[in-house]
Amino acid sequence: MERARGRRWVGLLVVGVLALLAALALPLLRESRARLRARGLPEFGALPTFRLMDQTGRPFSDADLRGAVVVADFMFTRCPTVCPLLTAKMARLQRQAREAGLAVRFVSFSVDPRYDTPERLAAYADTRHLDTSNWALLTGELEDVETTVLEGFRVMMGREADAGEDDFLSIFHGEHFVLVDTEGRIRGYYRVVDDSDGLESLQRDLEALVHAAD
């Protein structure tokens, strides 16, 4: 009887030790998987150098994003079609990152900067109840924005030939979200509007980059 009771206690002790070891190993396993996934992401160039303004009118540059995992997109406030969808997807991604405890910066570049003043961007954010604590909406001189978007991020933007400034339906731009790592390297382009897997892939990749940088 006593011998059986002793074996039972030994068995419970072994199970407890194994459970403890598994609990200690799980974070290391997750970190290892994150590092492997992060290393496997392609590199598409560097975060461009830029100097623009955010929705508060303050200067905002690439230096404000250095050392952070960043998700960028491209929109304009007068857009009646895809931009509201992009903004909603970005807000969803921001919410998911916050719930997961991930430190991520979000930035939206206006491709209609002559119209999108800081005041209009602030109103846009307010109307849509956007959390701008880690999400900046940027504008500036058209030439500076074009250089940043076209040459830096390699995302298209423009306006149909001979279109007037009031013809906002003539404005076109890329619909990808862009992922940048803590070292300022562009690591991915993601279609999120008509591709349900795009947002999920982006979420997994940004999570991997955050954990790999810890």
Side-chain angles (χ1 to χ4, degrees):
M1 188 74 155
E2 291 181 2
R3 188 174 298 173
R5 188 180 298 116
R7 284 199 297 268
R8 200 160 43 242
W9 278 110
V10 170
L12 290 174
L13 179 61
V14 170
V15 170
V17 170
L18 290 176
L20 178 60
L21 290 175
L24 293 173
L26 187 58
L28 295 176
L29 180 61
R30 287 175 178 167
E31 182 180 351
S32 178
R33 287 176 177 172
R35 291 185 184 279
L36 286 174
R37 186 178 183 90
R39 280 201 296 268
L41 295 177
E43 295 183 25
F44 295 98
L47 175 72
T49 300
F50 63 86
R51 291 185 62 84
L52 299 170
M53 290 182 295
D54 68 12
Q55 72 279 357
T56 69
R58 298 193 191 109
F60 193 103
S61 74
D62 57 291
D64 293 291
L65 301 176
R66 297 293 177 182
V69 172
V70 178
V71 179
D73 80 334
F74 311 89
M75 45 69 72
F76 62 106
T77 63
R78 295 190 287 178
C79 173
T81 54
V82 72
C83 296
L85 295 174
L86 291 171
T87 298
K89 296 283 188 179
M90 186 77 98
R92 175 183 166 187
L93 187 65
Q94 181 193 42
R95 184 169 56 253
Q96 291 171 332
R98 184 189 308 112
E99 290 171 353
L102 303 176
V104 184
R105 298 290 302 273
F106 300 88
V107 60
S108 295
F109 293 83
S110 171
V111 297
D112 185 19
R114 287 176 176 165
Y115 179 85
D116 282 340
T117 60
E119 293 78 14
R120 286 190 170 117
L121 290 175
Y124 181 86
D126 185 60
T127 299
R128 286 157 181 78
H129 308 291
L130 305 184
D131 178 4
T132 56
S133 62
N134 63 335
W135 183 354
L137 286 71
L138 304 184
T139 188
E141 296 296 327
L142 177 59
E143 183 178 353
D144 295 336
V145 173
E146 287 179 334
T147 299
T148 301
V149 175
L150 292 170
E151 299 178 16
F153 283 101
R154 300 175 187 174
V155 170
M156 69 174 180
M157 67 167 283
R159 186 189 296 268
E160 294 177 6
D162 302 323
E165 284 296 321
D166 293 332
D167 184 8
F168 58 86
L169 293 177
S170 68
I171 299 173
F172 57 87
H173 61 93
E175 300 172 7
H176 290 83
F177 281 8
V178 183
L179 178 63
V180 182
D181 67 17
T182 57
E183 297 182 27
R185 299 173 297 185
I186 297 174
R187 304 302 296 273
Y189 292 82
Y190 306 80
R191 291 191 64 86
V192 299
V193 173
D194 54 3
D195 183 355
S196 59
D197 294 332
L199 196 65
E200 293 178 6
S201 295
L202 172 54
Q203 185 178 11
R204 288 194 297 269
D205 290 347
L206 72 84
E207 183 174 354
L209 290 179
V210 170
H211 286 314
D214 289 342

